[in-house]
Structures are given as structure tokens and as C-alpha cells.
Amino acid sequence: MLSRTAAALYWLGRYVERADFQARLIEATVRLDALSARPAGEAAWRSALSVSYTEEAFEATGQEMTQANVVRFLTLDEDNPGSIVRCLDMARNNAKAVRTALTRESWTAINRAWLLFHNRRNPGGPTAVLNMVESVKAETRGFEGAVRRMMHNEATWLIQLGAAIERADNTARLLDVKYHLLLPEGEVVGGTMDRDQWTTILQTVSAVTAYRWLYSEGLSSANVIDLLISRFELPRSLAACVDEVVTLLSQLARRTGLQGEADRMARARLMRIQKTRTSDIIVAGLHEYLGAFIKENALLDSAIARQFRFI
């Protein structure tokens, strides 16, 4: 397989997953904003920009920090490289470059997602925004399902590898939303507002039922953190993503013979997360742990690019 083909497949997986994350992030923030005692909800939307690392880029536009402006920036702004429309555009371009490696249904899912935003200029009000991001999530889930039904070969594994790397990064950022979001004045940690915010995080990653299955006691922040970081049973947890990366790199190594730095880094990360206890993370600082994980994930991404000669 040509290195540029491998890179296109890998980044196809990353961009589709990134579009899904942006949709989930917007959905989470709309719902968290709705829970706020203050009507403006500026802290909630600033947190969305902080988690997606686009706060400075948004401020450079000179726009007021409102739901309408931030939503448009994160969904339809073609000058924002992380907006949903740009992610889907890049995913479609990569898919076109490797069209013969994809099935008809996987290509169709990408194209339908792209058409949702084609020539669209206004995301609309909160209800319209929630409907739009739900459509994005549906199409990205359709693409993921189509990929899993493709022949199991290098093309499929590279798409899934890109998605797993991106998903790990995104879960860390989504969990970090709660760190960035400030409770309204008068609300306490562990109070009604705090519990509602943790519940919203679970709803965003479709983990409410999983939480009820795995934890017999009521909702607690420690258990939510444990679920999203350490539980291999949850596909979007950091542990599950880390494990999937190791598996996919091993499959690619057997088929292509390319093995090296990325494999070593991925296996070392898996060993560390298997030994990590949630209580230790909380004591040391959740935000600090997530920040270190995100940096390590970026280093692994660079190692993958070198190993498979993307660059």
C-alpha cells in the first residue's frame, strides 16, 4: 500500500470521528447551558471552545461569546479547521482519494454527512442545532458500522486506527468539559446542578445504561471518571481506546511487517492504564491527568505517521 493511501485512510477515520466529537461536544454544551441558572451560559460556551482548543481562534473573529456565534463557529465556519463542516469536507476528500478501498455504503455515509452542511449558512436555534448534530451522529455511526462490515484488511484497520486515536483524544476532552465548566454561584460540588452536569456527560457518550449496569450505587463523579477512563467494557473509555490501538497496530504489523516505535509506545501506555486507579487520578488531579494523556496521544499519532511513512 502506498504511504499516501495509508495516510488518507488513517485521516479519514480521524476526521469522521472528530466530526462526531464536535457534534457531541455541541450537544453536551447546549444541554449544560440549559441547566444553567444564568440565561447567558457564557461559561458553558467558553468551556466548549477551551476543550476544542479554539478559544483564541474564536476571539480573533471579534464575535460576542453567545450560543449562536459559538455554535456557528463550531459547525459551519469554514475558516475554523475544527468545525464540523471542515472535518466532513476533509473526510470526504480523503475518502475520494481512496474510493476503491471503500464499500458503497461507507462512501454513501460520508457523502450524506457532507450534504447536511452543503451550502448551509445558519445552524438555527437550540432545537435545530440539536437536530443537526443528531443527524451528524447518525451518519458517522452509519460510517462506523459500514467500515466494520468491510473486508478485514489494512484499509479497514487504518481507518479504525485513526478513529481510535481520535476517540481517545476526544473522550479526554469531553470529560475535561466538566473541569472547565464552572458551577453557578450558590451551587455546590455534589449538589443537584453538579449531578445533572455529570449525567449530561454520560448521556453525550451514550453511557447512562452502562453506568447503571456497572455501578450499583447512585451517581457519583468518581464513578463517572472511573467509567470513562478505566473501564474496558465501555467502547469510548480511554482504556478501551488504548487497548484497541494496540490490537490494530498488531494486526497491521502482521500484515505489513511495519512495526516499531508506535507499537512500543502503545503497549507501554496500555500497561500504565491497566495499573492506574481512579482514586489516584482524582488525588493527583483529573485535569492534569487528562492533559498528560492528550499530549501522549499526540506523540503516539506522530509515531504512527513515521512508522507508516505518512510523512
Side-chain angles (χ1 to χ4, degrees):
M1 180 181 291
L2 295 175
S3 59
R4 63 174 177 270
T5 301
L9 290 164
Y10 176 82
W11 279 100
L12 169 58
R14 287 208 67 163
Y15 278 120
V16 172
E17 190 66 34
R18 190 173 299 177
D20 179 79
F21 167 66
Q22 287 288 51
R24 290 174 182 274
L25 177 63
I26 292 165
E27 179 185 36
T29 313
V30 168
R31 297 189 188 282
L32 288 170
D33 186 12
L35 293 171
S36 177
R38 294 169 295 183
E42 180 177 325
W45 290 104
R46 188 175 296 279
S47 76
L49 293 170
S50 297
V51 171
S52 60
Y53 289 6
T54 55
E55 187 173 0
E56 290 185 5
F58 178 80
E59 290 177 349
T61 67
Q63 299 179 67
E64 186 181 354
M65 187 77 66
T66 63
Q67 175 176 308
N69 289 338
V70 176
V71 167
R72 188 188 180 284
F73 182 75
L74 294 177
T75 56
L76 301 174
D77 194 332
E78 295 187 357
D79 293 326
N80 173 18
S83 68
I84 294 178
V85 67
R86 282 292 302 276
C87 289
L88 292 176
D89 190 47
M90 293 300 295
R92 188 171 182 266
N93 288 342
N94 280 292
K96 286 169 66 177
V98 292
R99 179 68 183 86
T100 56
L102 303 177
T103 60
R104 178 179 295 180
E105 60 181 342
S106 58
W107 165 254
T108 300
I110 290 290
N111 214 39
R112 278 201 306 259
W114 179 79
L115 287 171
L116 287 172
F117 292 86
H118 187 55
N119 292 328
R120 188 165 184 169
R121 295 291 178 265
N122 184 9
T127 301
V129 169
L130 289 175
N131 289 337
M132 177 175 63
V133 297
E134 188 59 42
S135 297
V136 173
K137 287 162 56 183
E139 296 301 343
T140 54
R141 285 195 300 267
F143 174 76
E144 182 181 358
V147 169
R148 292 190 180 277
R149 291 188 293 272
M150 286 169 52
M151 184 171 65
H152 294 181
N153 58 13
E154 299 98 311
T156 302
W157 296 331
L158 281 164
I159 294 172
Q160 291 174 333
L161 178 62
I165 290 290
E166 186 71 28
R167 190 178 302 122
D169 187 75
N170 294 343
T171 296
R173 294 178 192 278
L174 188 58
L175 185 55
D176 211 23
V177 167
K178 187 62 177 71
Y179 172 85
H180 284 285
L181 190 73
L182 300 176
L183 288 172
E185 186 177 352
E187 295 289 342
V188 296
V189 174
T192 301
M193 179 70 72
D194 192 41
R195 290 197 303 272
D196 287 345
Q197 290 176 349
W198 283 114
T199 300
T200 301
I201 296 299
L202 288 175
Q203 290 172 339
T204 304
V205 295
S206 305
V208 173
T209 301
Y211 183 92
R212 291 170 181 166
W213 271 97
L214 294 171
Y215 304 96
S216 57
E217 61 268 32
L219 182 70
S220 74
S221 58
N223 285 344
V224 176
I225 293 168
D226 181 66
L227 176 67
L228 295 183
I229 292 179
S230 303
R231 299 305 293 255
F232 287 86
E233 302 95 319
L234 185 71
R236 286 189 174 274
S237 73
L238 298 188
C241 294
V242 166
D243 185 53
E244 185 177 2
V245 168
V246 171
T247 300
L248 290 166
L249 283 172
S250 297
Q251 290 172 326
L252 285 164
R254 286 194 296 269
R255 184 65 64 88
T256 66
L258 295 173
Q259 189 173 22
E261 180 188 8
D263 296 84
R264 291 189 292 272
M265 290 177 64
R267 287 194 295 267
R269 186 172 68 161
L270 178 59
M271 290 179 64
R272 284 196 301 273
I273 205 166
Q274 287 172 332
K275 298 175 181 178
T276 300
R277 295 186 301 177
T278 302
S279 57
D280 294 335
I281 294 173
I282 294 172
V283 169
L286 174 63
H287 178 60
E288 289 71 20
Y289 175 85
L290 294 172
F293 182 92
I294 290 168
K295 288 179 182 177
E296 183 181 34
N297 203 58
L299 291 174
L300 179 56
D301 170 68
S302 298
I304 290 171
R306 290 191 296 271
Q307 186 167 305
F308 292 95
R309 306 186 181 99
F310 297 169
I311 52 178

